[in-house]
């Protein structure tokens, strides 16, 4: 069951109030009980003191009569206070006590409790033995005080305490609920704000005001929105770029085919058109393959076919593959340094080839491209440097974006789609590495790193 925070807080408040009220109530109950009890005992004691004084000087049955009168006045008619005197001589006794009661009253000296009849509320008693003097034997003197009033008071007090505590608990719970509702209002405001965010207004952010506890949440949420917006925009642009890239070869294909069909053609002419179409189709396939590769990398694919090799040897292999192109353009490639690393050879070769193609494309005939392989802490670094026009710094960190080309007019030639460096970046990421691009002293250096991983 999904519970609201306000309801939960209200329950907690109620529980806390119950504990506090119970403790305070129990303490109050105890204090009052003690106080009333002390009063009763004091009352008993004063009476015993008075009588002890009188009885201890009484030594004849005649003077005992005066004690009688005194005792009569001490125990009023409402029987709230009862008095007995027992002794071995019936002439020195007071109060009626049938046989069994007499036995029960004959307890030891001090405080006690005695029920006069079966089931009745007990009397609180104080007993004292007054030593014999003259003709009078020992007198056991008992004063009892009815505690019905005492117990009634305690009962009413307990009921009142419980009722008030329960009302207090309910009040605290209601108040706690209200406080929680008011305190949680910023949360409702935030959810209202968050509800209004749509793909159409992705740049909207939650307000950073509100209580401290929420600003971190708001910050985290806004951060997530930032990343989402970035990814969303990139995807949007990517879609547009894909459509744009595919349109040119498709337009060429359709145009050429229409022209070919518009007139009677010789077989030779048809062959030429088909040859040209095949080139366009190859280009389309290359774009689609590259995009599929990038999509796989985006989904978190990692290089799995790892072998520990000399990276310089791998670069040499890639250079050999490009020999014809290099010879045509009169560009030489020099490989410097070496490092051992665990890599996926086909992915690595693909990245190196892309870098070499770029370098060759952007350097003048007769120049030299230098590939430098350096071991690094935790991995290796491969840098491809070629002499060429400086790349403006605003372009440098965008080179690795998909479909990004510095010179757009050249990009429209149809030869390059601007995916080469995105693939280098994906390959680097698949090897836990990163990419870099520098332009200095008319030398442009583009490259990537791979992390050292067990093969
Ligand atoms: N060595 C370099 N010197 C100068 N500019 C470069 C160099 N390498 C890349 N660039 C610039 O970076 C852009 C992106 O390169 P990338 O390899 O991603 O795409 P491309 O070469 O245009 O197309 P593709 O490689 O997909 O055929 C290039 O268009 C080019 O403008
Ligand atoms: Mg390229």
């Amino acid at each position: 069951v999904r519970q609201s925070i306000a309801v939960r807080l209200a329950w907690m408040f109620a529980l806390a109030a119950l504990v506090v009220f119970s403790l305070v109530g129990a303490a109050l109950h105890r204090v009052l009980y003690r106080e009333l009890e002390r009063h009763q005992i004091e009352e008993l004691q004063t009476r015993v003191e008075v009588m002890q004084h009188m009885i201890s000087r009484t030594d004849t049955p005649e003077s005992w009569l005066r004690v009688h009168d005194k005792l009569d006045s001490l125990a009023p008619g409402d029987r709230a206070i009862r008095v007995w005197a027992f002794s071995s001589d019936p002439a020195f006794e007071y109060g009626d006590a049938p046989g069994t009661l007499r036995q029960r009253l004959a307890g030891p000296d001090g405080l006690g409790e005695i029920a006069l009849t079966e089931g009745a509320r007990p009397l609180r008693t104080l007993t004292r033995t007054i030593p014999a003097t003259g003709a009078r034997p020992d007198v056991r003197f008992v004063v009892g005080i009815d505690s019905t009033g005492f117990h009634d008071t305690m009962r009413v007090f307990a009921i009142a305490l419980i009722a008030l505590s329960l009302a207090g608990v309910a009040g605290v719970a209601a108040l706690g609920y209200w406080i929680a509702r008011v305190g949680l209002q910023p949360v409702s405001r935030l959810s209202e704000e968050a509800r209004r965010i749509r793909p159409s207004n992705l740049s909207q952010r939650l307000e950073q005001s509100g209580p401290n506890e929420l600003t971190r949440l708001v910050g985290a949420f806004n951060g997530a929105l930032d990343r989402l917006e970035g990814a969303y925009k990139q995807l949007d642009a990517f879609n547009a770029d894909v459509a744009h890239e595919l349109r040119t070869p498709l337009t060429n294909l359709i145009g050429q085919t229409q022209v070919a069909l518009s007139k009677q053609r010789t077989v030779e002419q048809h062959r030429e058109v088909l040859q040209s179409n095949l080139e366009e189709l190859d280009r389309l396939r290359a774009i689609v393959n590259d995009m599929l590769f990038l999509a796989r990398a985006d989904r978190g694919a990692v290089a799995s076919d790892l072998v520990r090799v000399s990276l310089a040897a791998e670069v040499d292999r890639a250079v050999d593959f490009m020999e014809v192109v290099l010879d045509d353009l009169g560009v030489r490639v020099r490989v410097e340094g070496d490092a051992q690393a665990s890599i996926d050879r086909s992915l690595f070769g693909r990245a190196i080839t892309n870098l070499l193609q770029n370098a060759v494309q952007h350097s003048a005939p007769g120049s030299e491209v230098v590939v430098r392989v350096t071991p690094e802490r935790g991995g290796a670094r491969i840098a491809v440097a070629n002499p060429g026009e400086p790349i403006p710094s605003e372009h440098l960190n965008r080179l690795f974006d998909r479909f990004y080309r510095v010179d757009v007019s050249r990009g429209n030639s149809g030869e390059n789609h601007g995916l080469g460096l995105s693939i280098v970046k994906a390959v680097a990421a698949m090897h836990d590495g990163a990419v870099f691009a520098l332009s200095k002293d008319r030398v442009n250096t583009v490259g990537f790193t791979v992390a050292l991983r067990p093969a």
Side-chain angles (χ1 to χ4, degrees):
V1 199
R2 234 173 303 165
Q3 233 185 7
S4 95
I5 292 185
V7 170
R8 269 175 58 171
L9 283 178
W11 275 113
M12 290 179 197
F13 274 123
L15 199 69
L18 189 66
V19 170
V20 170
F21 284 144
S22 305
L23 290 178
V24 171
L28 278 180
H29 190 270
R30 198 169 169 72
V31 167
L32 185 69
Y33 188 92
R34 279 287 175 80
E35 201 55 20
L36 290 179
E37 191 181 53
R38 196 173 59 80
H39 266 282
Q40 280 194 328
I41 293 169
E42 264 175 17
E43 222 170 307
L44 288 173
Q45 272 167 347
T46 15
R47 285 181 166 75
V48 168
E49 291 314 323
V50 169
M51 288 320 296
Q52 178 170 23
H53 188 68
M54 195 164 176
I55 293 170
S56 55
R57 285 180 303 151
T58 306
D59 51 0
T60 57
E62 293 76 46
S63 48
W64 183 255
L65 288 178
R66 277 210 306 282
V67 173
H68 248 264
D69 291 343
K70 182 72 185 169
L71 288 176
D72 282 345
S73 71
L74 206 64
D78 63 6
R79 304 189 136 229
I81 295 206
R82 303 286 303 272
V83 183
W84 294 270
F86 305 109
S87 78
S88 49
D89 183 350
F92 295 96
E93 292 215 331
Y94 181 82
D96 47 335
T100 53
L101 179 61
R102 188 189 173 95
Q103 249 165 34
R104 276 185 289 138
L105 282 170
D109 277 13
L111 289 165
E113 288 213 320
I114 287 160
L116 290 187
T117 53
E118 206 62 43
R121 278 221 188 273
L123 290 181
R124 188 185 291 284
T125 58
L126 182 57
T127 307
R128 192 162 291 175
T129 307
I130 298 151
T133 171
R136 178 178 65 78
D138 280 0
V139 170
R140 179 176 288 272
F141 180 63
V142 183
V143 180
I145 194 161
D146 181 17
S147 48
T148 311
F150 168 86
H151 286 292
D152 285 350
T153 305
M154 284 321 298
R155 204 183 56 232
V156 171
F157 183 71
I159 291 171
L161 264 186
I162 290 171
L164 283 174
S165 296
L166 288 181
V169 167
V172 168
L175 219 70
Y177 181 73
W178 180 74
I179 290 172
R181 284 294 296 265
V182 171
L184 288 174
Q185 245 163 27
V187 176
S188 332
R189 182 179 57 76
L190 279 184
S191 19
E192 197 46 54
E193 266 181 56
R195 223 195 305 277
R196 282 200 294 268
I197 294 176
R198 297 270 136 79
S200 56
N201 60 357
L202 255 188
S203 52
Q204 191 169 318
R205 293 290 175 269
L206 297 187
E207 224 182 298
Q208 272 287 4
S209 64
N212 280 342
E213 289 86 343
L214 287 182
T215 40
R216 277 184 53 190
L217 178 67
V218 169
F221 188 80
N222 284 346
L225 280 182
D226 285 344
R227 290 190 292 278
L228 276 183
E229 191 192 4
Y232 192 82
K233 277 189 177 155
Q234 213 178 337
L235 205 66
D236 233 21
F238 185 63
N239 280 341
D241 286 338
V242 168
H244 186 81
E245 282 313 311
L246 296 181
R247 195 170 57 179
T248 314
L250 283 174
T251 310
N252 291 349
L253 277 172
I254 292 170
Q256 284 167 14
T257 312
Q258 278 174 339
V259 170
L261 290 176
S262 62
K263 271 200 295 186
Q264 192 67 37
R265 305 274 177 189
T266 65
V267 169
E268 194 48 45
Q269 281 169 325
H270 276 306
R271 186 186 297 280
E272 237 170 71
V273 172
L274 283 179
Q275 187 59 46
S276 161
N277 280 3
L278 187 61
E279 277 167 27
E280 294 291 353
L281 288 169
D282 261 339
R283 197 162 300 153
L284 278 175
R285 185 175 57 182
I287 296 178
V288 170
N289 276 345
D290 283 354
M291 278 171 16
L292 281 177
F293 177 81
L294 289 173
R296 266 205 309 278
D298 276 351
R299 262 182 273 129
V302 285
S304 51
D305 215 358
L306 297 179
V307 248
R308 194 169 170 80
V309 289
S310 145
L311 296 187
E314 290 301 305
V315 175
D316 283 336
R317 244 163 44 107
V319 174
D320 286 348
F321 269 115
M322 291 180 67
E323 213 183 322
V324 182
V325 188
L326 294 170
D327 280 351
D328 279 356
L329 293 168
V331 175
R332 280 163 295 128
V333 177
R334 186 153 53 88
V335 184
E336 285 181 357
D338 193 8
Q340 301 283 318
S342 302
I343 52 157
D344 180 314
R345 293 174 79 189
S346 80
L347 291 178
F348 186 82
R350 197 164 176 183
I352 288 293
T353 308
N354 283 356
L355 288 174
L356 285 174
Q357 270 170 358
N358 283 353
V360 169
Q361 255 175 37
H362 293 93
S363 43
S367 43
E368 187 183 51
V369 173
V370 179
V371 183
R372 191 166 286 117
V373 181
T374 30
E376 257 193 352
R377 212 166 62 88
R381 173 187 161 101
I382 303 95
V384 179
N386 67 287
E389 289 295 311
I391 306 171
S393 60
E394 70 264 27
H395 293 298
L396 269 181
N397 33 12
R398 297 207 55 195
L399 292 189
F400 300 94
D401 288 358
R402 286 162 201 193
F403 297 115
Y404 191 80
R405 280 161 294 198
V406 175
D407 188 348
V408 180
S409 57
R410 190 212 291 263
N412 285 345
S413 71
E415 283 296 330
N416 300 100
H417 346 287
L419 287 176
L421 288 183
S422 332
I423 286 174
V424 173
K425 188 177 175 179
V427 169
M430 287 163 120
H431 288 87
D432 291 337
V435 289
F436 57 88
L438 320 159
S439 183
K440 206 175 131 194
D441 302 332
R442 303 189 71 79
V443 174
N444 295 325
T445 309
V446 190
F448 65 104
T449 60
V450 292
L452 271 190
R453 287 194 301 184

